[in-house]
Amino acid sequence: MVQSAVLGFPRIGAFRELKKNTEAYWNGKISADQLLAVGKEIRAHNWKLQKDAGVDIIPSNDFSFYDQVLDLSLLFNVIPDRYTKYNLPSLDTYFAMARGLQRKAAENSKAVDVPALEMVKWFDSNYHYVRPTFSHSTEFKLIGSKPIDEYLEAKAQGIETRPVILGPVSYLFLGKPDKDSLDLEPIALLKSLLPVYIQLLKKLAAAGAKEVQVDEPTLVLDMPKKVQAAFKTAYDAFAAEEGLPELILTTYFGDVRPNLSAIKGLKVAGFHFDFVRDPEQLEKVASILGDKQTLSVGVVDGRNIWKNDFAASIALVKKAIKKIGADRVIVATASSLLHTPVDLTNEKKLDSEIKDWFSFATQKLDEVVTIANAISGKDVSEKLAANALSIKNRKEHEINNDAAVQKRTSGIDDAMATRSSPFPKRLAVQKGEFHLPLFPTTTIGSFPQTKDIRVMRSKFTKGTISEEEYTNFIKKEIKGVVDFQEKVGLDVLVHGEPERNDMVQYFGERLKGFAFTTNGWVQSYGSRYVRPPIIVGDVSRPAPMTVKTSVYAQSLTEKPMKGMLTGPITILRWSFPRNDVPQKTQALQLSLALRDEVQDLESAGIHVIQVDEPALREGLPLRAGAERNDYLKWAAESFRVATSGVKDTTQIHSHFCYSDLDPNHIKALDADVVSIEFSKKDDANYIQEFANYPNHIGLGLFDIHSPRVPSKEEFIARIGEIMKSYPAEKFWCNPDCGLKTRKWEETTASLTNMVAAAKYYREKY
Ligand code: GLN
Ligand code: ZN
């Protein structure tokens, strides 16, 4: 019998129970015990679900109140002193590390003021983990028992589980030195960390765990030699111990081949690889297995929502069996299912034909089991037939086969992706068009999304107010924002985006080829979840999406009004993409739809147009090489196709945030002006790198995630700092990102001070 395995299950609950309760705890509405009980309920529910589905190997310790990497830091005592000094209860220390804590002194507690640890993207997913931070004083100690407790909890429920932990090499490699220990290389701590892992593994064995899933996802990254060598050190140390559970060394999200020498010969019970991401690696990875080692074959996608193609998966598993025999093969999810929504059956509004193409985490359980059963020779013919039919229906559906879109996409040529004149010439005519002062000021697009706006939007969605009422409300909001900007003295205005719930969903809802869920939430970080739209077919734009709004906003002012669009890469990255056509094709289809919008805006008198690409950086393939270079090419091409159909006089802006950007990556977009998140960047070299950027650029001057208001003097000092290495004639003044999460008070004060600082420099230069 071939076994089925799941690497991890979403922990947010089918109806976001975890979010609601965690936030209630933060707001003092429920107690720690109540929150812990919710966690317990979710775990019990998930285990039972998997058991009932017939999954053989069910994970434990995949639950987390915030992040599984942070859990490990707490378990191993990797807690910087700034968090321990307040003697908070451990749950509060945990949340303080995750999200910072600011609390006034009260009767029996001191004031607390501590920022969060850094949060970074988990590989190329939209999940973020809390980065472990090591210092010379870090003393690894096993100070908790979460993996053991959760293993026993499942056992008490009558369910045998396989605990999951992040492996030692990945844990260290994903961390960084703390501020006070910048010379420290985390991987150098391996020797002192291993005894703690051994202690943990022994405790798991003593509790009864026979096998542990040890995740080492960094094996899909480029790793320095030192880190590669650490695998042997670590896993040899484990092999030398008596009384440890069997270890399944688990990788996902990519191709392990370049790092195979690092794991070849390790004495683990088996390996897991992601064959959804890279089926080609099967041949090579199977060749490193020892005679007894098992191969866990990841064939059920943990990152996307498409129904598994059973025929293809079964063929792949059979190939593995041919190599090493059925008794050593396990059928598994490719990665944890954390990155997929919980349950498709809760979607009541999806078109039933299209809904049949999807599979969420709960449905994926049945998929691994069915594939394993098929391989084991059980009669699953009905399921296989239904699956084949669904796959066929999808392929043939008209939404997937829009000949006009396909023809237009394949007709894209260099000319469509190139502005008619190079930047210096455009700059000259744009100067004549806009007469902007030096240090022009602008914002990134959104203004505070007040409670009023949310209430009206929800009334409109529910149908309790008419379209006309809603439109009039939005118009009033826009007028307010325009008047405000005039009063503050900004130079290039925006309409404020009050009509947009989300920068991707708003466009998805207006494009053909998208589907939306009601409950399809996926954890992005902590209690923040996203509900990505799904690209279900060829994408096109049936009608203008933003023109009316922008034209109305422009009618209220003499100043240039900036049209505001989301770029092709960001729409693609923040949706579930199709798996039946290359991402490049999807990006280009989006770019054509946006190109039409950009041209319509221009014809309607909007001559400054911003196309946001905050997700450009995160789409970068994990490893250097051909795939990455290729991505950079087609990402830039998509942006240029979207924005190059305009006259020289039209000024194209773009915006980037959330990541350390390489100026070279954005150069190829050839936008006239880019604005980037920058207020927390202190590295002089980094400023210098951007000074060499050829076109105009606004380095974000204030943090929009914080209520803090910088004074005029602070703005002046910051701009002065930048001006040391930066040409004044290229510089724009703007915040880091949109202001939608801020309050009006803070927004007014910050922008007033920013404009005052810009005026100060205008007089100086
Ligand atoms: N224009 C968007 C806004 O201002 C940009 C958001 C983003 O970059 N994440 O909200
Ligand atoms: Zn942004």
Side-chain angles (χ1 to χ4, degrees):
M1 288 304 281
V2 170
Q3 289 199 305
S4 55
V6 170
L7 266 50
F9 197 80
R11 56 225 178 186
I12 60 177
F15 297 100
R16 294 185 290 161
E17 291 84 344
L18 187 63
K19 174 192 178 72
K20 289 169 192 159
N21 285 283
T22 310
E23 289 177 353
Y25 174 69
W26 292 340
N27 296 330
K29 304 243 160 64
I30 65 169
S31 69
D33 283 344
Q34 280 170 302
L35 178 61
L36 296 180
V38 169
K40 194 168 174 180
E41 237 170 76
I42 292 175
R43 291 192 293 273
H45 176 84
N46 287 351
W47 286 322
K48 182 168 184 306
L49 204 64
Q50 296 178 73
K51 181 89 195 163
D52 291 349
V55 176
D56 298 309
I57 302 172
I58 297 172
S60 59
N61 197 40
D62 55 338
F63 177 83
S64 178
F65 279 110
Y66 203 96
D67 165 48
Q68 69 275 10
V69 183
L70 178 62
D71 289 338
L72 211 54
S73 296
L74 255 96
L75 186 68
F76 292 161
N77 194 37
V78 182
I79 310 174
D81 296 342
R82 55 188 178 277
Y83 299 99
T84 49
K85 73 172 191 209
Y86 296 107
N87 288 319
L88 298 167
S90 75
L91 189 62
D92 294 350
T93 305
Y94 175 75
F95 287 134
M97 290 166 78
R99 54 198 292 273
L101 183 63
Q102 211 166 22
R103 201 161 71 188
K104 294 207 182 85
E107 235 173 85
N108 37 27
S109 59
K110 283 188 295 185
V112 181
D113 189 1
V114 61
L117 286 176
E118 190 189 7
M119 194 170 64
V120 267
K121 283 214 172 269
W122 181 244
F123 298 83
D124 56 356
S125 77
N126 200 10
Y127 178 76
H128 303 69
Y129 72 98
V130 178
R131 197 160 198 188
T133 308
F134 305 104
S135 77
H136 291 294
S137 57
T138 298
E139 200 186 321
F140 296 114
K141 264 191 307 197
L142 188 65
I143 58 166
S145 54
K146 178 179 182 289
I148 304 138
D149 297 345
E150 290 180 13
Y151 170 79
L152 290 172
E153 199 178 292
K155 203 177 182 119
Q157 196 181 324
I159 296 175
E160 182 59 33
T161 58
R162 179 172 75 182
V164 187
I165 51 167
L166 183 62
V169 182
S170 294
Y171 178 64
L172 292 173
F173 191 54
L174 293 173
K176 66 165 187 183
D178 207 351
K179 292 189 285 259
D180 63 357
S181 305
L182 290 176
D183 60 326
L184 184 77
E185 258 188 302
I187 200 66
L189 300 174
L190 184 67
K191 287 241 159 71
S192 51
L193 174 61
L194 288 176
V196 186
Y197 264 92
I198 290 171
Q199 202 187 344
L200 170 67
L201 289 167
K202 282 189 173 162
K203 284 197 170 178
L204 283 167
K210 295 196 181 51
E211 215 176 59
V212 171
Q213 172 190 325
V214 186
D215 286 2
E216 291 283 12
T218 51
L219 281 162
V220 305
L221 302 178
D222 291 321
M223 286 186 295
K225 284 249 147 39
K226 235 188 255 178
V227 181
Q228 281 185 330
F231 282 95
K232 189 162 163 47
T233 313
Y235 289 83
D236 279 359
F238 295 156
E241 289 293 322
E242 297 277 321
L244 260 49
E246 303 213 304
L247 307 181
I248 302 294
L249 197 150
T250 301
T251 72
Y252 36 80
F253 300 160
D255 177 7
V256 185
R257 280 171 291 184
N259 286 320
L260 269 189
S261 60
I263 54 171
K264 187 174 172 179
L266 297 185
K267 293 187 201 71
V268 291
F271 295 95
H272 170 90
F273 301 99
D274 181 339
F275 296 114
V276 172
R277 242 343 151 68
D278 195 340
E280 307 284 301
Q281 63 183 329
L282 174 62
E283 193 84 21
K284 194 95 187 274
V285 299
S287 72
I288 68 150
L289 296 185
D291 292 345
K292 295 215 170 71
Q293 284 176 318
T294 54
L295 176 64
S296 165
V297 182
V299 285
V300 172
D301 199 348
R303 293 281 297 273
N304 212 335
I305 47 70
W306 300 101
K307 194 169 257 186
N308 193 273
D309 181 345
F310 283 160
S313 297
I314 291 169
L316 194 117
V317 178
K318 282 192 172 154
K319 227 161 128 188
I321 289 177
K322 213 164 155 202
K323 290 200 168 309
I324 62 168
D327 50 336
R328 285 165 57 204
V329 165
I330 296 164
V331 174
T333 59
S335 65
S336 166
L337 299 175
L338 176 67
H339 313 284
T340 59
V342 179
D343 190 354
L344 185 63
T345 56
N346 296 327
E347 297 304 324
K348 309 288 183 213
K349 287 196 189 145
L350 280 171
D351 172 284
S352 63
E353 219 176 325
I354 288 178
K355 184 173 168 182
D356 182 57
W357 306 342
F358 303 153
S359 169
F360 291 0
T362 306
Q363 289 65 45
K364 286 169 191 281
L365 301 176
D366 195 50
E367 291 186 343
V368 256
V369 173
T370 305
I371 297 167
N373 284 344
I375 299 281
S376 304
K378 286 198 188 152
D379 181 17
V380 285
S381 51
E382 253 172 58
K383 286 193 175 180
L384 299 191
N387 179 268
L389 182 64
S390 167
I391 303 275
K392 178 167 170 282
N393 286 345
R394 179 178 164 209
K395 215 177 262 161
E396 289 168 1
H397 196 279
E398 48 97 13
I399 204 164
N400 266 332
N401 298 288
D402 190 327
V405 174
Q406 290 171 8
K407 179 155 175 254
R408 202 175 164 210
T409 314
S410 54
I412 291 175
D413 57 14
D414 275 356
M416 276 175 89
T418 317
R419 296 280 302 259
S420 19
S421 308
F423 176 70
K425 188 156 169 232
R426 303 195 308 259
L427 179 66
V429 292
Q430 287 168 19
K431 274 192 176 148
E433 173 92 4
F434 302 114
H435 305 290
L436 293 170
L438 263 186
F439 298 94
T441 53
T442 190
T443 61
I444 308 304
S446 59
F447 269 79
Q449 290 249 340
T450 55
K451 192 164 169 219
D452 252 16
I453 296 180
R454 284 196 300 269
V455 169
M456 289 299 272
R457 186 182 301 134
S458 122
K459 278 189 183 162
F460 177 54
T461 321
K462 286 190 192 122
T464 52
I465 56 169
S466 71
E467 172 144 16
E468 198 191 339
E469 265 174 283
Y470 182 65
T471 311
N472 287 339
F473 169 77
I474 292 293
K475 278 188 163 172
K476 200 182 88 225
E477 286 294 318
I478 291 172
K479 178 148 182 16
V481 169
V482 173
D483 292 349
F484 167 82
Q485 294 171 91
E486 295 259 20
K487 209 164 112 211
V488 169
L490 287 151
D491 300 305
V492 173
L493 310 195
V494 297
H495 76 281
E497 305 179 24
E499 78 290 10
R500 301 189 191 172
N501 38 7
D502 173 278
M503 67 185 291
V504 171
Q505 192 178 338
Y506 181 81
F507 289 95
E509 281 169 354
R510 281 154 186 80
L511 291 167
K512 196 175 153 215
F514 277 81
F516 297 89
T517 65
T518 318
N519 290 296
W521 299 98
V522 176
Q523 188 174 28
S524 173
Y525 61 86
S527 74
R528 173 133 177 130
Y529 310 162
V530 293
R531 204 168 32 143
I534 304 171
I535 306 180
V536 288
D538 288 329
V539 172
S540 58
R541 185 197 72 145
M545 307 182 280
T546 64
V547 176
K548 264 194 203 146
T549 322
S550 286
V551 167
Y552 171 69
Q554 181 68 80
S555 76
L556 303 169
T557 177
E558 295 292 314
K559 292 201 168 157
M561 174 59 56
K562 186 158 65 164
M564 195 58 61
L565 306 173
T566 303
I569 301 301
T570 301
I571 297 185
L572 176 69
R573 292 291 313 172
W574 291 352
S575 302
F576 283 117
R578 292 167 71 172
N579 61 351
D580 57 342
V581 295
Q583 302 220 349
K584 174 181 173 180
T585 309
Q586 300 174 65
L588 288 174
Q589 291 184 357
L590 283 160
S591 76
L592 288 171
L594 289 162
R595 181 184 175 91
D596 295 345
E597 185 73 12
V598 168
Q599 285 175 326
D600 284 349
L601 281 168
E602 181 186 59
S603 317
I606 303 301
H607 295 156
V608 182
I609 302 169
Q610 178 173 311
V611 180
D612 292 324
E613 284 290 27
L616 183 76
R617 171 67 181 75
E618 71 169 69
L620 202 67
L622 293 169
R623 275 215 182 88
E627 195 193 345
R628 184 181 284 183
N629 298 338
D630 199 37
Y631 165 78
L632 287 167
K633 258 205 221 123
W634 62 255
E637 184 190 353
S638 308
F639 182 88
R640 292 197 320 268
V641 168
T643 54
S644 295
V646 292
K647 301 193 191 98
D648 286 353
T649 40
T650 294
Q651 188 170 70
I652 298 292
H653 287 226
S654 188
H655 163 71
F656 311 90
C657 54
Y658 297 130
S659 43
D660 286 348
L661 216 62
D662 180 338
N664 289 314
H665 296 168
I666 51 174
K667 219 191 276 179
L669 273 54
D670 198 27
D672 298 307
V673 183
V674 300
S675 56
I676 64 173
E677 176 178 327
F678 212 79
S679 72
K680 279 171 287 184
K681 306 274 186 259
D682 293 320
D683 187 344
N685 294 328
Y686 198 55
I687 298 180
Q688 185 57 50
E689 276 177 44
F690 279 95
N692 300 332
Y693 177 76
N695 303 2
H696 285 191
I697 186 165
L699 302 177
L701 292 173
F702 66 92
D703 180 8
I704 53 86
H705 297 296
S706 163
R708 216 178 139 260
V709 175
S711 63
K712 173 181 165 190
E713 290 65 37
E714 200 177 319
F715 279 113
I716 289 177
R718 176 67 178 166
I719 299 173
E721 198 54 42
I722 296 172
M723 282 306 117
K724 281 186 197 157
S725 50
Y726 204 91
E729 68 279 2
K730 282 199 208 171
F731 193 73
W732 283 64
C733 298
N734 51 255
D736 268 352
C737 187
L739 297 159
K740 69 168 167 237
T741 57
R742 296 275 48 90
K743 297 209 168 77
W744 268 108
E745 279 166 71
E746 303 146 13
T747 300
T748 310
S750 295
L751 289 176
T752 305
N753 296 345
M754 186 186 87
V755 169
K759 287 189 175 148
Y760 168 89
Y761 279 102
R762 266 171 218 164
E763 274 162 30
K764 264 191 83 167
Y765 279 84

